[in-house]
Amino acid sequence: MSNTRPLHPEVLNRLALALITASEVPSLLIDDNLVVKAASRSFCDAYLRDDADLIGMKLAAVGAGQWATPQLTTLLRATAAGSTEIGPYEMDAHFADTGDRKLVLTARHLDYGDTETVLIILTISDVTEMRLALKAKDDLLREKTILLQELQHRVANSLQIVASVLLLSARRVQSEETRVHLRDAHQRVMSVAAVQRQLAVSSIGDVKIANYLTDLCASLGASMIRDHDQISIAVEVDDSMATADTSVSLGLIVTELVINALKHAFPSHRRGVIKVGYQSLGDAWALSVSDDGVGMPKGDAVPEPGLGTSIIEALAKQLKAKVEITDLTPGTQVSIVHA
């Protein structure tokens, strides 16, 4: 059982006065009539132009009437009655020395037990500079977003110009081998443009894989599939998120694999479906592109690894993943697995 005896209300009052007076936070001690009982030196330094004695002064009369707002008065009276507490309450105030300020106020009712004495501690924080700093930050982010959008627009235009030049050159050259290489380069520039276009409409920060790959495949299908009744692309992706850098690599891999399937899996107007899948579990994930086409060449018909294969292997290595190729009979599946 504690032997500590409760302090006399007068002692508590004096203690509260001493704490308020010494507080480094601008503070006032007021009673239920909103009369100032004590004020911290920090309050006087921040909000008064002179050393006027505030003790016994109505709060509404302090300064130039900055504290006489009806809403603040109502909140303080409710706090004195014990029905509410202010915290935090934001208000605007104008001071002759510092101009318009943004203030955040908190008020707490002091409970002395059986005593009828009602006192309120009111603290004031000036958040003007913080609000201005946040606004400046928001303005800077908005400006950077605009500049990024402009950069993406210029990149998209540049890629389109390069792709057009390559296609025009392919039509003019006499060598069939050169024509094939130029058309292949054109397709790869268009694939990069498709990836860039989909990332451009994504929000800054992490990218939702489902939306990104769905839009990317829709773009690839619209630009490369002539008859959508003959060939279609299906996307099955979970709700995973990825960084923009990872999304770029995944998008380039999907683009390479989809283009490869469109070029080789469905000869002679063969019908089929290309499926793009992505699933993750913790740090492990798997990206797959499969088709129900003619399958991989076998025996002497197996071609030498091309540029597309090298690109996919390089991107997979960058993602610290491995490439797995599966014969589906019919069709082929290429998986990029990060364990």
Side-chain angles (χ1 to χ4, degrees):
M1 185 174 182
S2 174
N3 293 323
T4 303
R5 299 176 63 182
L7 295 176
H8 190 276
E10 183 62 29
V11 176
L12 290 173
N13 285 342
R14 291 179 181 178
L15 180 59
L17 292 172
L19 290 174
I20 290 297
T21 302
S23 174
E24 295 184 1
V25 178
S27 308
L28 293 174
L29 186 67
I30 58 179
D31 62 16
D32 53 345
N33 293 316
L34 306 189
V35 173
V36 177
K37 310 300 289 186
S40 67
R41 169 50 58 184
S42 54
F43 176 88
C44 297
D45 292 341
Y47 303 114
L48 296 179
R49 287 184 296 170
D50 52 42
D51 293 329
D53 187 6
L54 302 181
I55 308 305
M57 184 181 295
K58 281 276 193 178
L59 178 63
V62 173
Q66 294 92 345
W67 318 101
T69 64
Q71 187 173 6
L72 176 59
T73 300
T74 300
L75 288 171
L76 287 173
R77 292 195 182 281
T79 302
S83 58
T84 187
E85 289 185 342
I86 302 177
Y89 165 66
E90 190 169 304
M91 62 176 280
D92 296 317
H94 180 81
F95 298 89
D97 293 346
T98 56
D100 294 331
R101 311 302 293 175
K102 184 77 68 176
L103 307 178
V104 174
L105 284 66
T106 60
R108 295 291 182 269
H109 174 265
L110 294 182
D111 186 1
Y112 283 173
D114 296 334
T115 180
E116 295 182 358
T117 303
V118 175
L119 291 175
I120 302 169
I121 294 180
L122 177 66
T123 60
I124 303 96
S125 298
D126 189 331
V127 297
T128 307
E129 276 69 31
M130 183 177 69
R131 292 286 191 272
L132 291 174
L134 289 175
K135 183 179 183 302
K137 180 181 177 182
D138 290 341
D139 291 343
L140 180 60
L141 288 174
R142 193 177 301 109
E143 181 180 353
K144 289 180 66 177
T145 300
I146 294 173
L147 291 175
L148 179 60
Q149 291 173 345
E150 177 63 21
L151 176 62
Q152 291 169 337
H153 178 69
R154 291 176 182 269
V155 169
N157 287 344
S158 299
L159 289 172
Q160 189 64 49
I161 292 172
V162 172
S164 299
V165 171
L166 288 171
L167 190 59
L168 182 62
S169 300
R171 292 171 179 170
R172 290 180 175 178
V173 298
Q174 300 299 319
S175 169
E176 181 61 27
E177 181 181 0
T178 302
R179 186 179 296 111
V180 169
H181 287 313
L182 286 172
R183 285 177 175 171
D184 190 52
H186 168 264
Q187 286 184 336
R188 283 183 166 78
V189 171
M190 291 302 294
S191 73
V192 173
V195 172
Q196 187 273 338
R197 183 166 56 252
Q198 298 310 321
L199 283 179
V201 299
S202 301
S203 59
I204 297 175
D206 288 351
V207 177
K208 190 170 184 178
I209 298 297
N211 294 344
Y212 171 55
L213 292 184
T214 298
D215 292 342
L216 175 60
C217 290
S219 177
L220 291 171
S223 61
M224 301 194 67
I225 299 176
R226 294 182 179 179
D227 185 355
H228 292 271
D229 292 330
Q230 176 190 347
I231 301 174
S232 61
I233 304 175
V235 179
E236 298 179 359
V237 180
D238 60 20
D239 58 354
S240 299
M241 304 288 289
T243 64
D245 288 342
T246 299
S247 299
V248 169
S249 298
L250 295 175
L252 290 172
I253 291 173
V254 168
T255 302
E256 283 291 336
L257 292 173
V258 168
I259 289 177
N260 186 67
L262 290 172
K263 288 171 62 176
H264 303 294
F266 309 105
S268 304
H269 303 288
R270 180 186 177 109
R271 294 179 178 273
V273 178
I274 300 171
K275 295 182 179 179
V276 177
Y278 182 93
Q279 291 79 35
S280 67
L281 180 61
D283 293 333
W285 54 263
L287 170 71
S288 65
V289 177
S290 62
D291 63 73
D292 55 358
V294 296
M296 296 285 291
K298 295 178 176 61
D300 296 337
V302 176
E304 291 292 325
L307 177 59
T309 301
S310 300
I311 291 174
I312 292 170
E313 290 178 347
L315 291 169
K317 184 178 180 181
Q318 187 180 70
L319 293 170
K320 299 180 180 180
K322 61 180 180 179
V323 181
E324 298 178 355
I325 301 176
T326 306
D327 188 349
L328 298 180
T329 314
T332 306
Q333 176 173 291
V334 180
S335 301
I336 313 299
V337 181
H338 182 278

